């Protein structure tokens, strides 16, 4: 393997794609490529794509489309479309990007190495969207790299299950990521142990519906997996995403309460506050069951921080339905939300539903929702002023804060996250990346908190 070349990966989309890109980078490295952040220097450019909304898909096509000119100048440059859009489009991708060399679907990642060898020997226009059983177990066993794909040295994502069997009517995931399959708990624990040995302090377990981890395989449950992971020495914090409200069990609520390393934050996508829309979305729960589960959670874990996903403008969403969603935000008081205008995906059933909402109206509703949420984000952040939060130090803060400039001349300002997933800035000269440090919160801003390490406040 005396080949030497540079590889550049552009990752669009969710945390799972970040994890997948790390795996693709491992394979590239084992086939003689060195990773670069300089796209112009690259001999192979990979775009790891997302199909969840139209905009993300367009981003992928426009990124890859730009290489038409460059490929005329440098015919040896290799371009790869990987991931969800690749899986969805297959051969059709060439119609829009004729200069693509490899279309690598989500199910074909474990065969990336073989395709790289074919590409190196001159083969072009390869399409692989064939199914495969367990994608990651079939990947080459590589030592975990010290610095994450995104440059992060203390926190990593790890995919514990693939695919989805829920078939929400708006969602493309079951069609581009296949059936739900869980990885073995021993493979997961081994991977996390290897990350911990490399200094990783925080891990986020990923799946489309982690609550059903291991159910099909009749293995250990998700809460049991959390416990096993918590035994890994060196790991200080465990996060996970995403939970499906219909499967949020009491056992999981207790695991959040009882396992110290499991963070007091839950992302529980509600999607809509209207029972009519939830039914049309095929979500499998009602507004009332969602609220009941959240209340049980709040009761067991009073300082839990909550986030959610919401779709506005789903076909046939009336003003009354939209209002039900607004009222739900008022009732639950989430710490933060991710809100999206419904985007038609041709492979998902809702694309054929009648009463589609106009784009302008979707945007209007989205803005109203985000404005309303600002009130609660602010309220939840302000409630933390005066409290002590344990922060995992991520690095030096890029932004200087008003309070900081006034009160402590030129002391280094650091940043990290609380277990409740809030960004916290604080002055400190002597803490290191990866330290857990107790911060007394002095100020709350819309997207961050600011405070002093306990005992370190300057008068
Ligand atoms: N349109 C808009 N948002 C969508 N999501 C999934 N599919 C669509 C779609 N077709 C959102 C959901 C999901 C998040 C990851 O993306 O809120 O929870
Ligand atoms: Fe999509 Fe629903 Fe599966 Fe989430 S649970 S990935 S929204 S089908």
């Amino acid at each position: 393997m005396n080949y030497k070349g540079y590889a550049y990966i552009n990752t669009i989309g969710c945390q799972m794609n970040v994890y997948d890109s790390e795996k693709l980078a491992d394979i590239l490295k084992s086939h003689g490529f060195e990773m670069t952040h300089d796209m112009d220097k690259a001999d192979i450019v990979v775009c790891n794509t997302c199909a969840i909304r139209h905009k993300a898909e367009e981003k992928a096509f426009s990124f890859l489309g730009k290489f038409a000119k460059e490929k005329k100048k440098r015919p040896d440059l290799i371009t790869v479309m990987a991931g969800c859009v690749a899986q969805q489009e297959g051969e059709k991708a060439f119609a829009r990007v004729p200069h693509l060399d490899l279309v690598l679907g989500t199910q074909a990642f474990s065969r990336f190495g073989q395709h790289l060898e074919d590409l190196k020997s001159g083969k072009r226009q390869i399409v692989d969207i064939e199914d495969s059983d367990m994608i990651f177990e079939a990947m080459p066993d590589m030592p975990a790299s010290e610095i994450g794909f995104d440059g992060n040295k203390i926190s990593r994502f790890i995919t514990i299950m693939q695919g989805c069997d829920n078939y929400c009517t708006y969602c493309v995931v079951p069609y581009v990521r296949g059936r739900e399959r869980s990885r073995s708990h021993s493979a997961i624990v081994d991977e996390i142990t290897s990350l911990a040995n490399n200094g990783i302090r925080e891990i986020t377990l990923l799946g489309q519906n982690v609550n059903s981890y291991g159910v099909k395989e009749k293995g250990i449950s998700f809460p049991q997996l959390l416990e096993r992971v918590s035994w890994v020495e060196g790991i200080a914090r465990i996060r996970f995403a995403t939970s499906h409200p219909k499967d949020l069990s009491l056992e999981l609520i207790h695991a959040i309460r009882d396992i110290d390393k499991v963070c007091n934050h839950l992302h529980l996508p509600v999607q809509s506050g209207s029972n009519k829309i939830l039914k049309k979305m095929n979500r499998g729960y009602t507004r009332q069951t969602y609220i009941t589960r959240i209340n049980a959670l709040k009761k067991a874990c009073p300082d839990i921080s909550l986030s959610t996903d919401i779709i506005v403008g789903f076909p046939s969403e009336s003003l009354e339905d939209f209002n039900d969603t607004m009222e739900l935000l008022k009732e639950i008081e989430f710490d933060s939300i991710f809100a999206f205008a419904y985007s038609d995906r041709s492979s998902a059933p809702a694309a054929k539903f009648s009463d589609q909402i106009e784009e302008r109206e979707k945007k209007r509703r989205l803005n109203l929702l985000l404005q309303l949420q600002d009130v609660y984000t602010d309220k939840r952040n302000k409630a933390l002023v005066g409290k002590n939060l344990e922060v995992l130090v991520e690095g030096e803060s890029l932004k200087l804060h008003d309070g900081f400039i006034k009160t402590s001349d030129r002391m280094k300002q650091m940043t990290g996250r609380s277990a409740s997933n809030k960004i916290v800035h604080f002055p400190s000269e002597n803490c290191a990346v990866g330290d857990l440090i107790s911060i007394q919160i002095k100020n709350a801003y819309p997207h961050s908190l600011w405070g002093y390490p306990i005992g370190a406040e300057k008068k």
Side-chain angles (χ1 to χ4, degrees), residues 59 64 190 240 249 444:
K59 218 162 140 185
L64 286 162
D190 286 352
F240 58 89
S249 64

Side-chain angles (χ1 to χ4, degrees), residues 52-53 170-172 267 269 271 283 309-311 338 340-345:
I52 201 105
R53 284 172 289 276
Y170 51 81
C171 186
V172 78
H267 182 64
Q271 313 297 0
R283 289 292 290 174
D309 289 345
I310 287 172
I311 298 178
F338 298 87
F340 312 98
Y342 167 75
S343 169
D344 238 0
R345 309 283 64 214

Side-chain angles (χ1 to χ4, degrees), residues 13-47:
C14 67
Q15 300 169 331
M16 270 189 189
N17 273 13
V18 175
Y19 179 78
D20 289 348
S21 287
E22 249 157 49
K23 295 285 166 192
L24 294 178
D26 285 346
I27 297 178
L28 281 160
K29 284 187 257 176
S30 72
H31 285 263
F33 289 94
E34 193 177 314
M35 300 309 294
T36 176
H37 293 292
D38 181 359
M39 196 159 61
D40 299 331
K41 190 164 125 182
D43 301 289
I44 179 166
V45 172
V46 179
C47 183

Side-chain angles (χ1 to χ4, degrees), residues 52 164-168 170-174 208-209 244 271 283:
I52 201 105
C164 184
D165 287 349
N166 289 310
Y167 293 97
C168 302
Y170 51 81
C171 186
V172 78
V173 168
Q208 302 297 344
N209 179 9
H244 195 302
Q271 313 297 0
R283 289 292 290 174

Side-chain angles (χ1 to χ4, degrees), residues 241-258:
T242 296
S243 295
H244 195 302
K246 78 177 164 61
D247 299 319
L248 176 67
S249 64
L250 213 54
E251 195 193 355
L252 180 61
I253 293 178
H254 292 161
I256 300 171
R257 182 192 63 189
D258 299 335

